Amino acid sequence: DVLRGFAMGAFSTATKIEIERADTVDPYGRTLGYFFLNDKNYSVLVVTARLAEESVTRYGDNGFPAEAAAVAAAAKAAGPLPFESPGDYRRRMREVSGWMKSKGLSPED
């Protein structure tokens, strides 16, 4: 998969890897943060490569205003994604699943 290859290449060639972690956890108990590879924000790198969707717009800066702004700017500069947003896909699949269940077509029925 392209994203996995990108990540493996980026991390394997980095001589310096750092993580900045939030002081709090999200509603799911996860600690949020940013990776920096050779002082470059990995989120900016992967968004610029158009391999990931930025989530700042949906979830906020999580206590990292400068980093989040850089990610949002990279997304704007990168233009439209060449794939469907994962959030949009999940929403669409919930609608399809609901429709299938309402018609008795769900594999679970």
Side-chain angles (χ1 to χ4, degrees), residues 8-81:
M8 290 176 67
F11 279 86
S12 68
T13 59
T15 56
K16 179 180 173 187
I17 300 172
E18 297 176 289
I19 186 170
E20 281 191 37
R21 295 175 66 153
D23 294 332
T24 59
V25 295
D26 73 1
Y28 303 99
R30 300 174 297 193
T31 301
L32 303 175
Y34 284 92
F35 280 107
F36 291 86
L37 309 179
N38 297 337
D39 299 319
K40 293 180 183 171
N41 183 332
Y42 177 76
S43 295
V44 169
L45 297 174
V46 74
V47 165
T48 298
R50 299 177 68 214
L51 296 173
E53 176 183 37
E54 63 86 11
S55 60
V56 174
T57 304
R58 185 173 287 159
Y59 300 111
D61 69 20
N62 293 298
F64 296 99
E67 292 81 359
V71 173
K76 186 175 181 180
L81 295 172

Side-chain angles (χ1 to χ4, degrees), residues 53 58-59 84-94:
E53 176 183 37
R58 185 173 287 159
Y59 300 111
E84 182 177 18
S85 162
D88 292 346
Y89 174 80
R90 286 189 297 275
R91 187 173 23 265
R92 187 167 56 82
M93 288 299 102
R94 281 192 296 272

